[in-house]
Structure formats: C-alpha cells, structure tokens
Amino acid sequence: MSKKPQARAQQKNEEKAKTTAKEKEGEREEEEYTGKYVIEIENLTKYFGQKEEIVKAVDGISFNVPPGIMGYLGPNGAGKTTTIKMLVGAIKPTGGDATIMGHKIGTVAARKLIGYSPEHPRFYDHMTPINYLIFLGELGGLTCHEAEEKAFEILETLELEQAAYRNIVDFSAGMRQKMALAQALIHEPKLLILDEPTANLDPVGRAKILDQIKYLARKKGMTTLISSHILGEIEKVAEYVTIINKGKIVISDTMDAVKELYAGNQYVMRTSQNAKVVDLLQTTDYVETVWIDENGDIKIKAKDEAELKRQIPTILKKTKVTLDAFHRVTVSLEDIFMRVTGLGSFKMVTEKEGEEGEEAEEITWEYIESE
C-alpha cells in the first residue's frame, strides 16, 4: 500500500526535475543567443478562404529585424496586422517560417520573449490597472512582489499612477492605449511588437510614448517592431523600415539607405555667390542639370555623383566663394511610401521659356496621383 504513493511521489519529483532542467536549458539558450537578427522571416504566407475565394493576405514575405527599432508600414489591408498576428502566435501561417531569437513563432519559447500591444486593446474591465498588471506579470514569470514593483514603475512612467486603482472600464481611449503599452512591458520582454501604439493620444501624449520607445530600445536593448499610419512618427524613431503592399514586401532596409535610394542623384548646394558656381557647373560633364530654386539654393542633378563630390573643393577654389551647405536632396518617408505603394509618385518637370533668343530652363517636382 505504501509503495504506490512513494512511487507516485518519486515520479512527480522526476517530472518536476525534468521541467526545471528544461526551463534552465531554455534560459541558457536565450542567454546564449548570438544571432544577427531578433526576427527572421522567410517566405511567410497567410491565405484566407478556399479555392476561388482565396485571399492572399501575406504572400511569401521575407525580411529580418535587427536589434533596434523597425517601422513596419503599409496601406490598409496590405498585410501588416496579419503578419503581426502570426509573429505573436495568434494565428498560424499557411506556409513559410519565422523565428524570434532562434525560436519558432507560436511556441512558448518565442511568445515569452514578446511584449505585444494590439491596435484595438481589450481588458478585463472590472480590474484596476495595478491588479491587471500584477496578474499579467505573474503569468509572465514574475513573483507577486516583483510584478507589483514593476507595475507601479510602468504606471508612473506612462503617467497613469493616479489611476492605478480605478476600473479600466472607466478609462478614456487614450488611457486604454497607454495600458496596452503597459501590459506589453510588464514582463520585461526582449521584443516589443506595437500596432498603432499612439492611436487616440494627443500630440503631447504621442511624443512621450515615442520617447519611451526610443529609451527602451537604446537604453534597455528592447528591439521594437512598430506599425503606424503616422509616418512622421516612424521617421523620427525608427532606424529601419519595411514596407508591405498587397501582401508583398516592396522595400526593407535602414532608414538612411532607403532615403538615399529614393533621393536619387539630386543635390542641394549653397554658397556666398551661387550664380558664379552655377555658371561653372554648367560647363562640366559630370552635371546633367543645375539651377537656382525659389529659395535661392543651387539644385544639381548629377551624371556622376562621385565626381561631383570630388570636384567641390576645386569649384570653390576656382570661384573663390564660401560653401554654406552641400547635401543630398531630402526625401521624406511619406514621399517614399507613396511611391513604393503606387498611391502616388513624383516626376521631374522641365519648362523652357525663351526670351530674345535666349532659353531658360526651370525644373520642378510634380506630384502625380496613380489612377
């Protein structure tokens, strides 16, 4: 009679030992991860529907997310939220593969690394922020005491400490958005995935959330994948950008590289005597077109960019002018977004006007909406 309870007790101890060993092994794997990318995505696919009614929401996308902040952008219906739901394990892919710090998406090992703030957050409305965060913290592996300390710290950071004991059901839309970020942070994840994190916030609130995201990435080493329709905000905080359109990736690179690519061979130059510099540049074979714009700056369209840059000191010496500025034409993320998604584009327009046999050339950029 006594042997069976002893055997069961021994079996439980062995199972507990195995579980503890697995947990420790998982911790070692996490600590020892030395991969180049936090997220690796290869040919990830998600189809909805059947046969003739299949919708290719995400169609074989491949890109990687390095440590830092990446903006994940696209028009409505492009596949952003579907991608995010696959990454966090909310839905299963139709095909392809993705890993988070070496762990296959959807597994417990991958999910525990993620802090996720959805576009439309839902809460247990009968709970207060402090109780809700402690509850989630404990689910994330913190002790009650650790979760409580972390919860108060986060609420203070997000300026919700005065509402710590109010029911979440009474919160405004902006406060609920802050709570979505708070619950994503409670277990101190390695990866933040944020879907429209500044929605419903006023300009001051948005700025503070963006500052917090930058702090978490650069001081805490918390990689962030952020999706937003407010492109100016992404441009301010993100080091990398990936754009999806109609279920396919159309561009993925560093923010600087993307801007340089779409700026093309256009340069701005400002000197103490712009007219003299323009006269000289017009005689060179490495400049296609040069003119003075409405702001009084020199605009240069180069045939040979490397040669143009090499010749700048020579030009200044020959013309005996002072250089005030020389840089590539600035292109905004919104300009790039409109072009790569086919929602619009920019083209160079040349207008020529002659007067008494002399021909003047004016070049401007015109925005063209796609049909």
Side-chain angles (χ1 to χ4, degrees):
M1 294 291 291
S2 61
K3 288 184 179 180
K4 287 184 179 180
Q6 288 177 355
R8 283 197 294 268
Q10 183 177 353
Q11 184 179 0
K12 285 183 179 180
N13 288 334
E14 288 175 356
E15 290 175 353
K16 184 177 180 181
K18 287 179 181 179
T19 301
T20 303
K22 285 182 180 179
E23 288 175 350
K24 288 182 177 179
E25 182 63 28
E27 289 173 2
R28 284 197 295 272
E29 287 178 3
E30 181 180 326
E31 290 171 0
E32 293 169 4
Y33 179 74
T34 56
K36 184 178 180 181
Y37 302 107
V38 176
I39 305 176
E40 295 181 90
I41 299 173
E42 185 175 357
N43 200 32
L44 195 62
T45 302
K46 183 63 182 178
Y47 296 166
F48 294 100
Q50 295 179 350
K51 296 183 179 179
E52 295 84 5
E53 299 179 357
I54 286 178
V55 176
K56 298 179 179 180
V58 174
D59 193 8
I61 65 172
S62 299
F63 70 96
N64 300 316
V65 180
I69 302 174
M70 174 176 280
Y72 188 47
L73 313 175
N76 289 333
K80 301 186 302 299
T81 298
T82 300
T83 304
I84 288 173
K85 286 182 177 179
M86 286 190 284
L87 292 177
V88 301
I91 59 175
K92 291 184 177 180
T94 304
D97 195 16
T99 58
I100 295 171
M101 296 183 71
H103 300 289
K104 187 177 179 66
I105 56 171
T107 62
V108 173
R111 291 202 302 268
K112 74 177 183 179
L113 298 171
I114 302 170
Y116 172 47
S117 174
E119 181 179 6
H120 304 293
R122 296 290 184 269
F123 305 97
Y124 296 113
D125 289 336
H126 66 279
M127 297 182 77
T128 65
I130 193 66
N131 289 337
Y132 182 66
L133 292 178
I134 291 173
F135 168 63
L136 292 181
E138 289 182 301
L139 287 179
L142 302 179
T143 66
C144 181
H145 179 68
E146 289 171 337
E148 185 177 16
E149 281 192 341
K150 188 66 181 175
F152 277 114
E153 177 187 329
I154 293 172
L155 290 175
E156 183 177 0
T157 299
L158 298 178
E159 299 181 342
L160 288 173
E161 70 275 16
Q162 298 299 319
Y165 295 100
R166 286 173 52 188
N167 280 351
I168 299 176
V169 69
D170 298 323
F171 278 15
S172 66
M175 293 172 71
R176 292 170 76 90
Q177 201 68 45
K178 288 183 179 181
M179 274 301 301
L181 181 57
Q183 60 81 30
L185 294 172
I186 187 62
H187 62 298
E188 299 183 323
K190 300 290 185 182
L191 170 66
L192 269 180
I193 298 181
L194 309 178
D195 197 354
E196 301 290 347
T198 61
N200 304 311
L201 296 175
D202 59 34
V204 174
R206 289 203 302 268
K208 289 181 177 179
I209 291 296
L210 294 174
D211 285 343
Q212 183 66 12
I213 291 170
K214 286 192 288 185
Y215 171 79
L216 292 168
R218 288 158 196 176
K219 300 296 183 181
K220 298 287 188 177
M222 200 176 290
T223 295
T224 302
L225 181 68
I226 176 172
S227 175
S228 175
H229 286 103
I230 307 175
L231 302 185
E233 293 182 352
I234 297 295
E235 194 166 9
K236 289 177 182 177
V237 301
E239 302 150 90
Y240 308 93
V241 60
T242 296
I243 300 178
I244 185 172
N245 188 38
K246 298 178 181 178
K248 292 183 176 292
I249 300 300
V250 291
I251 196 164
S252 185
D253 210 328
T254 67
M255 186 71 74
D256 290 341
V258 169
K259 286 187 174 184
E260 184 172 342
L261 175 65
Y262 282 89
N265 57 348
Q266 304 285 319
Y267 290 84
V268 177
M269 188 174 181
R270 190 181 312 117
T271 70
S272 55
Q273 297 184 59
N274 285 347
K276 288 178 67 175
V277 174
V278 169
D279 289 342
L280 179 56
L281 287 172
Q282 286 175 335
T283 66
T284 65
D285 57 3
Y286 50 82
V287 171
E288 182 176 332
T289 311
V290 58
W291 72 100
I292 296 177
D293 68 9
E294 66 276 7
N295 298 317
D297 294 333
I298 302 170
K299 288 288 181 66
I300 304 167
K301 182 175 172 62
K303 285 183 182 177
D304 186 336
E305 295 181 66
E307 185 62 21
L308 170 64
K309 294 173 184 177
R310 280 194 294 268
Q311 290 297 327
I312 291 299
T314 303
I315 292 167
L316 298 175
K317 186 176 180 180
K318 284 184 177 180
T319 55
K320 298 180 179 179
V321 302
T322 302
L323 180 66
D324 296 324
F326 179 77
H327 58 84
R328 193 183 292 272
V329 168
T330 301
V331 178
S332 72
L333 182 58
E334 184 173 357
D335 294 337
I336 296 166
F337 180 87
M338 298 298 282
R339 291 174 66 181
V340 301
T341 58
L343 297 176
S345 60
F346 293 85
K347 72 174 184 178
M348 192 170 70
V349 180
T350 304
E351 295 181 359
K352 296 182 178 180
E353 296 180 357
E355 184 175 324
E356 295 182 359
E358 295 184 359
E359 190 177 73
E361 187 173 58
E362 180 184 358
I363 298 178
T364 58
W365 288 92
E366 179 182 1
Y367 179 71
I368 308 297
E369 289 188 359
S370 61
E371 296 180 359

